Amino acid sequence: GGDVSALVTDIADELAAFLELQGGEGADGARLLPLLHLGRAHAVLLHLVEPDAHGPGGGCHPSAVLFPAILAEAEPIHASGRAVLDAWIVGYEVMAELVSRERGSLNATNWHPTGFICTVAGAAAVSHLLGHSADLTQRAMSIAASFGGGITANYGTQTKALHAGRAASSSLQAVKFAQ
């Protein structure tokens, strides 16, 4: 409804103002954002509408993390739509596997699954997109596991969307560190 649209618009404006300070300028005068900020911004905005909240994991929002992380890397390498979708599928499968190994619900223990599980899934997806070896992908996923975070106490606040933003940027950062 209108309340959600106004909230998303307000947050988008605040995010744009923050990112304006973070970016650089391209040769043509266009504003450029570092990939980590671009992935984070898109994930925050996407998570505000909580896409695919009821997939494997119940509290994971894979598209809010996977697409922003993948697209941040896909554009510079001119990846095809097929490559983007293949990477998303890899990330989704990793997320589903991690959820299936959970002994209980992260939500029940006050942890937001998106901030933990999707960080690792995002690293797998981006590594796949970039054609990394199994060893490099494993390193990226291990690094990403150290970056996860998010608590359920933030549910119902704008901070919850930051969990997805941080997961997307952490996915990208983990892949960079692994290289």
Side-chain angles (χ1 to χ4, degrees), residues 20-115:
E20 182 72 21
L21 300 173
Q22 307 303 310
E25 190 170 301
D28 62 356
R31 296 297 295 166
L32 300 176
L33 290 176
L35 290 181
L36 299 179
H37 292 313
L38 185 63
R40 181 180 303 135
H42 288 156
V44 166
L45 292 174
L46 188 54
H47 191 280
L48 288 171
V49 295
E50 297 201 356
D52 53 23
H54 301 291
C60 285
H61 305 276
S63 292
V65 175
L66 297 178
F67 276 128
I70 293 166
L71 292 175
E73 284 288 356
E75 185 178 5
I77 65 169
H78 306 290
S80 69
R82 167 94 188 207
V84 167
L85 288 175
D86 285 348
W88 187 90
I89 290 167
V90 166
Y92 193 88
E93 288 178 352
V94 167
M95 183 215 55
E97 178 64 25
L98 291 173
V99 167
S100 76
R101 292 174 182 228
E102 260 187 87
R103 289 199 167 92
S105 165
L106 283 174
N107 273 314
T109 58
N110 299 318
W111 298 108
H112 185 194
T114 300

Side-chain angles (χ1 to χ4, degrees), residues 111-136:
W111 298 108
H112 185 194
T114 300
F116 289 95
I117 292 172
C118 291
T119 302
V120 177
V126 171
S127 290
H128 180 81
L129 178 75
L130 297 175
H132 290 162
S133 67
D135 181 59
L136 189 64

